[in-house]
Structure formats: structure tokens, C-alpha cells
């Protein structure tokens, strides 16, 4: 991977218009670091926790074939075989990824064949221009990204946490097969190559693991899960965020996996899966107690015009939800019961739809799914992650800033719930100037950061927290 423009020395590079003071595409983290008194790297009994996680940005310089092969009898995937498919994926991931959940402060991605995204480490400047926004970029302890804040009443009793709100901190990694495509895209990190579009090789895996802020005492579903630490502004008891960062404990709850498998999912090319922590599951480690929540390989577009997402008595054909998953996960499933994990913010509070319907207080609207959200990944960014006529979206549950969405089941709403290949953009008009990003949001954010650094403001979108 080239680290400077061809033929230009680093000293000259810093003087190129648009690059002076630009963020570092290879930054390990946002540079907001704890002092030794905040992060002594040891527990109360003197056991070493660990130092800082090092991102792996050294992408392969040639395509790497996948070493994962599902049982041929499971293809194409369907509801009867989704559990076995997920079991096969988790078994494949266990040797390299279980340590990220069980022993997060000892695990390093480069030692286990996992890769980060360029242009995503450095944080954004504060509004006053003094220092870095500590909620942005990758934090230094585990290289997590911080997600949205969810009102506690997203979850019904008796599964509701005893806090005002929940926030998640997520790590996102690419396996070597996926990273070999990133190596092509970012061969020159200052001139990404979109000439051939974006298409991950078959077998590529992208993994997101999320930990949440309530303690097990506040949310018993977290009993016996792994404890992480991140350096972020803490979520205060009233649900607002502190101004200064501190070492914040978080507890592992969700793991999402996307597999590029056009044989299993011929219409979209991807199988999205969510695993959730189950305190009552068998197993000696937290990794073993992560159980399948469900899988999705399409959006069930035949029901996209139905106001509820599907007719009563009908079953989704392209989502499977594990009937044995813990009950709390059903509160956060997507529209019509499509797959979404508990931290995916598929349910939205304080919404107004185009027909004038309002959702206020504890009311919420199931407005998304794994594939409907990721299907909006494109460059330049023109389409909201949710079915909305506007690009930005507000924090969840803000009564002073309701989220305007299309009416569920309308023609415009249904655009988010179609099955598209990864090279087809979702945008309604002007598609000739857009590049589909093969269902990958991180590439979209990285291209945004790159264009901000280059001064290409017409291609930059507003920063926002995602799950």
C-alpha cells in the first residue's frame, strides 16, 4: 500500500492544498489518551489487563482466497438451514476471534489475521478548534467506535435495564479475504480507486462486536459476560454524555457477522448474522455463551408494501430468528420481524411519518433491518440509512428533533426493502454519478474522511453516530 502520492515526498505532501493539517489515514486512534493514573493497566489485585490495541492496516497486496467453506448441503441458505450455517461460521471464527471477546485487552488484530479500516482512526476537531472530539474516531484501549444512545424503554419489562439509556462501543474488523479487496481500493491511500466499483471476494467476512454501558447489576442479561474498558466520555445517569473521556467499563453483548456468499444469497450476495450473549447458555466462556439471534440474506421485498412489514400469519422467507434466543432480543427486531440485533437501533423513538403519524415517548417504530440499512452504502452519500427523505438523522428519542420517515409500506419506504446486488445503488435518481459499496458502511465513512481531508466539501456528509 502506498502511503504518499506517487512522486511526491512527504515534506511536499504536507504543503499540498487541502492536505495541510489533514487527519492521518493511518492513525492508530483519535489521540485522546488516558494517563497512567487513569489506565494503570492492572486490576485491583495487580493482574495485568493490557495496554493499547494496535490497528492492523497492512492490507494484503494480492487477493487472498477464503479458507472457509460451508457444507454444500446448506446452499442456498434457507430458514431450515440457517442455524447450521451460523454454527459453521462461528466455529470458523472461534480460533482467531474468541479472544477479542474473552480477553479483549490481550487480543491484537494483526496477530490473528484481522484488519481495520484506514481513515477512521483520527478523531474530528472540536467545534471550538481546540483538541479532538473524544467521542470520534477510534478510542485507544480497544479501538472501538462509539454508537448511538438508546432509551432504556427500547426494551420491555422484565428485560429493561435499570438505567436511563444504553450506549454501545463496537469494534469492526475484516478478514484477510475482505482486506485483500481493501488493499486494491486503498493501494494509494490518497487516491482511492473506484474505477472498477467495490466488490468483496466470495467468502469475505466482516465482523462487528459490541459491548454496552450498563453493569450486570443494572441489566442482569449481562451476567457472566466479558468486561471491556474503553476511553470515552461516560454515559451519565440522566442519559447524557460527559464532556471529558474516562476509562469506561462495558460488557460484551452482540456480535454481527456479514459473509459474502452469492451462492447462499444469490439476490443480495450477503448473509448477515447476529449472535447475542445469553447468560443462561451452556459454556465455560463468554464466547461460548454467544448464541445465534438470527440470519438474513434478503429483505423479503414481496412484503415491502405491507404497512406492518408482512401480513398476519405469513412468515418471512429471507430472515430466520432463532426461537431459542433470549427473549429480550425480540424487542429490537427490525421492520416486520426482519433481522436486527439489540444494539442495531432498528427501532426508532420520536418519529413522524409522511402521513402525519407521530411516535412519541415510549412508542417506537421498527424502521430498519441489517440488509435494508447496509444496502444504502454508496458514494457519494445520498441516501439515509433509514427510509427517510432527508440524509441526516437525529439522535434516537429526541423530542425536540423528531426523525422524519416515509410512511411504512409506501412506495418510497419500500425502496429500502428491496433485494439488490452489491453493485447496485439504492438512490432513486442520479445513479450515474454514484458507486455502490457492496453493503459496506465503513468504506463509506472512510471515503467521507478522505474527501474531508482533501477539501472536497461537496462530497462530505455530516458526521453522525451509528451502531
Amino acid at each position: 500500500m502506498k502511503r504518499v502520492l506517487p512522486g511526491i515526498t512527504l515534506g511536499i505532501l504536507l504543503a499540498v492544498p487541502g492536505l495541510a493539517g489533514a487527519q492521518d489515514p493511518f492513525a492508530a486512534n483519535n489521540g485522546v489518551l488516558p494517563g497512567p493514573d487513569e489506565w494503570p493497566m492492572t486490576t485491583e489485585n495487580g493482574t495485568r489487563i493490557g495496554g493499547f490495541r494496535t490497528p492492523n492496516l497492512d492490507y494484503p497486496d494480492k487477493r487472498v482466497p477464503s479458507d472457509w467453506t460451508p457444507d454444500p448441503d446448506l446452499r442456498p441458505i434457507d430458514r431450515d438451514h440457517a442455524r447450521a450455517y451460523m454454527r459453521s461460521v462461528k466455529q470458523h471464527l472461534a480460533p482467531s476471534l474468541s479472544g477479542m471477546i474473552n480477553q479483549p485487552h490481550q487480543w491484537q488484530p494483526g496477530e490473528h489475521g484481522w484488519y481495520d479500516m484506514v481513515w477512521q482512526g483520527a478523531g474530528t476537531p472540536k467545534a471550538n478548534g481546540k483538541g479532538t472530539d473524544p467521542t470520534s474516531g477510534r478510542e485507544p484501549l480497544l479501538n472501538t467506535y462509539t454508537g448511538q444512545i438508546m432509551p432504556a424503554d427500547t426494551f420491555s419489562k422484565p428485560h429493561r435495564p435499570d438505567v436511563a439509556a444504553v450506549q454501545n462501543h463496537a469494534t469492526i474488523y475484516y478478514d484477510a479475504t475482505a482486506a485483500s479487496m481493501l488493499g486494491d481500493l486503498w493501494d494509494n491511500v490518497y487516491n482511492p480507486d473506484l474505477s472498477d466499483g467495490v466488490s468483496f471476494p466470495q467468502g469475505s467476512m466482516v465482523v462487528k462486536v459490541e459491548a454496552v454501558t450498563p453493569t450486570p447489576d443494572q441489566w442482569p442479561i449481562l451476567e457472566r459476560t466479558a468486561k471491556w474498558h474503553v476511553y470515552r466520555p461516560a454515559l451519565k445517569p440522566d442519559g447524557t454524555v460527559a464532556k471529558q473521556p474516562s476509562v469506561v467499563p462495558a460488557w460484551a453483548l452482540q456480535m454481527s457477522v456479514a459473509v459474502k456468499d452469492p451462492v447462499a444469497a444469490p439476490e443480495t450476495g450477503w448473509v448477515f448474522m447476529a449472535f447475542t450473549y445469553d447468560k443462561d447458555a451452556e459454556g465455560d466462556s463468554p464466547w461460548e455463551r454467544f448464541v445465534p439471534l438470527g440470519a438474513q440474506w434478503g429483505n423479503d421485498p414481496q412484503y415491502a408494501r405491507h404497512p406492518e412489514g408482512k401480513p398476519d400469519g405469513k412468515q418471512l422467507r429471507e430472515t430466520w430468528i432463532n426461537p431459542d434466543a433470549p427473549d429480550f432480543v425480540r424487542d429490537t427486531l427490525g421492520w416486520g420481524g426482519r433481522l436486527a440485533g439489540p444494539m442495531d437501533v432498528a427501532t426508532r423513538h420520536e418519529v413522524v411519518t409522511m402521513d402525519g403519524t407521530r411516535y412519541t415517548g415510549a412508542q417506537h417504530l421498527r424502521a430498519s433491518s441489517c440488509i435494508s440499512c447496509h444496502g444504502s452504502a454508496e458514494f457519494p452519500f445520498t441516501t439515509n440509512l433509514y427510509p427517510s427523505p432527508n440524509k441526516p438523522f437525529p439522535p434516537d428519542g429526541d423530542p425536540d428533533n423528531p426523525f422524519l420517515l416515509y410512511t411504512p409500506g409506501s412506495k418510497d419506504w419500500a425502496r429500502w426493502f428491496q433485494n439488490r446486488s452489491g453493485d447496485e445503488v439504492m438512490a432513486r435518481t442520479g445513479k450515474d454519478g454514484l458507486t455502490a459499496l457492496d453493503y459496506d458502511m465503513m468504506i463509506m465513512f472512510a471515503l467521507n474522511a478522505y474527501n474531508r481531508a482533501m477539501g472536497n466539501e461537496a462530497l462530505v456528509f455530516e458526521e453522525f453516530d451509528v451502531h
Side-chain angles (χ1 to χ4, degrees):
M1 178 188 294
K2 302 179 183 69
R3 291 180 180 258
V4 296
L5 291 168
I8 299 180
T9 67
L10 182 59
I12 296 175
L13 178 65
L14 295 177
V16 174
L19 283 179
Q23 69 181 45
D24 176 8
F26 298 101
N29 49 63
N30 61 10
V32 183
L33 307 176
D37 56 332
E38 297 176 281
W39 183 236
M41 297 185 291
T42 58
T43 62
E44 293 82 356
N45 63 9
T47 302
R48 183 174 176 81
I49 296 176
F52 298 157
R53 183 173 290 177
T54 304
N56 183 15
L57 301 171
D58 188 17
Y59 302 144
D61 57 8
K62 60 182 179 180
R63 289 298 173 101
V64 178
S66 172
D67 60 355
W68 174 73
T69 304
D71 186 331
D73 292 339
L74 306 183
R75 296 184 170 198
I77 191 172
D78 58 28
R79 291 173 53 86
D80 292 334
H81 298 108
R83 186 194 294 270
Y85 191 98
M86 293 186 69
R87 181 170 57 248
S88 173
V89 168
K90 190 182 179 194
Q91 288 173 345
H92 170 76
L93 294 175
S96 64
L97 208 64
S98 59
M100 188 176 72
I101 289 179
N102 292 336
Q103 298 175 309
H105 296 287
Q106 284 74 46
W107 187 88
Q108 293 286 354
E111 297 174 3
H112 297 280
W114 291 92
Y115 297 80
D116 297 78
M117 179 63 72
V118 295
W119 287 108
Q120 290 295 281
T124 56
K126 290 182 178 179
N128 61 11
K130 298 180 180 179
T132 299
D133 176 0
T135 66
S136 63
R138 282 190 294 259
E139 57 80 35
L141 304 188
L142 295 180
N143 281 177
T144 65
Y145 305 94
T146 296
Q148 292 192 68
I149 298 170
M150 299 171 58
D153 58 20
T154 300
F155 300 90
S156 61
K157 295 181 178 180
H159 311 297
R160 185 173 300 162
D162 187 20
V163 291
V166 177
Q167 190 170 34
N168 72 84
H169 302 277
T171 58
I172 300 173
Y173 291 105
Y174 297 80
D175 74 351
T177 303
S180 66
M181 188 281 291
L182 298 181
D184 290 342
L185 173 64
W186 297 106
D187 181 52
N188 184 336
V189 76
Y190 297 105
N191 187 21
D193 184 4
L194 293 171
S195 59
D196 293 328
V198 171
S199 181
F200 285 94
Q202 182 165 334
S204 294
M205 292 192 181
V206 186
V207 175
K208 176 179 67 175
V209 182
E210 296 172 271
V212 296
T213 49
T215 68
D217 287 340
Q218 294 167 327
W219 205 4
I221 66 168
L222 299 169
E223 292 174 0
R224 299 195 301 154
T225 194
K227 185 178 182 180
W228 295 12
H229 297 84
V230 299
Y231 193 61
R232 291 294 198 193
L235 191 62
K236 297 190 289 188
D238 64 357
T240 61
V241 177
K243 293 183 179 180
Q244 298 299 322
S246 60
V247 175
V248 174
W251 283 263
L253 176 61
Q254 178 180 330
M255 178 173 72
S256 300
V257 183
V259 179
K260 181 67 175 289
D261 190 345
V263 177
E267 293 193 44
T268 64
W270 287 91
V271 179
F272 281 75
M273 290 157 278
F275 298 83
T276 188
Y277 181 73
D278 182 356
K279 68 181 181 65
D280 298 319
E282 296 181 358
D284 297 329
S285 70
W287 168 268
E288 292 174 294
R289 293 191 287 274
F290 270 75
V291 302
L293 189 166
Q296 184 184 24
W297 50 97
N299 264 316
D300 279 278
Q302 72 276 12
Y303 299 141
R305 296 299 306 275
H306 192 279
E308 301 300 324
K310 68 177 182 65
D312 287 342
K314 294 291 185 178
Q315 198 171 62
L316 295 172
R317 302 172 188 170
E318 296 173 327
T319 283
W320 170 76
I321 302 300
N322 179 10
D324 302 318
D327 290 340
F328 74 89
V329 302
R330 287 162 181 79
D331 291 329
T332 50
L333 293 177
W335 186 52
R338 291 165 177 80
L339 180 65
M343 292 297 108
D344 288 343
V345 202
T347 61
R348 298 289 310 202
H349 300 74
E350 300 297 340
V351 168
V352 57
T353 58
M354 296 293 284
D355 64 359
T357 303
R358 292 183 177 269
Y359 298 78
T360 60
Q363 295 176 316
H364 64 262
L365 174 64
R366 300 180 188 268
S368 188
S369 75
C370 294
I371 290 183
S372 75
C373 175
H374 282 261
S376 65
E378 61 191 22
F379 176 77
F381 175 65
T382 66
T383 304
N384 201 297
L385 279 60
Y386 296 84
S388 172
N390 302 325
K391 285 199 299 183
F393 57 89
D396 188 30
D398 183 355
D400 297 324
N401 192 12
F403 196 178
L404 179 63
L405 297 179
Y406 288 117
T407 302
S410 66
K411 180 179 179 181
D412 287 314
W413 173 282
R415 191 155 48 93
W416 273 257
F417 293 92
Q418 303 303 307
N419 288 344
R420 300 177 182 84
S421 64
D423 61 359
E424 181 181 355
V425 297
M426 185 189 294
R428 179 171 50 190
T429 58
K431 296 184 179 184
D432 289 345
L434 300 176
T435 300
L437 301 179
D438 204 9
Y439 287 86
D440 192 88
M441 290 293 177
M442 288 296 287
I443 294 176
M444 186 173 75
F445 290 120
L447 289 168
N448 188 61
Y450 156 76
N451 279 283
R452 178 178 286 107
M454 297 298 120
N456 301 327
E457 292 302 320
L459 300 177
V460 174
F461 57 83
E462 180 184 354
E463 293 280 341
F464 49 81
D465 293 326
V466 296
H467 51 273

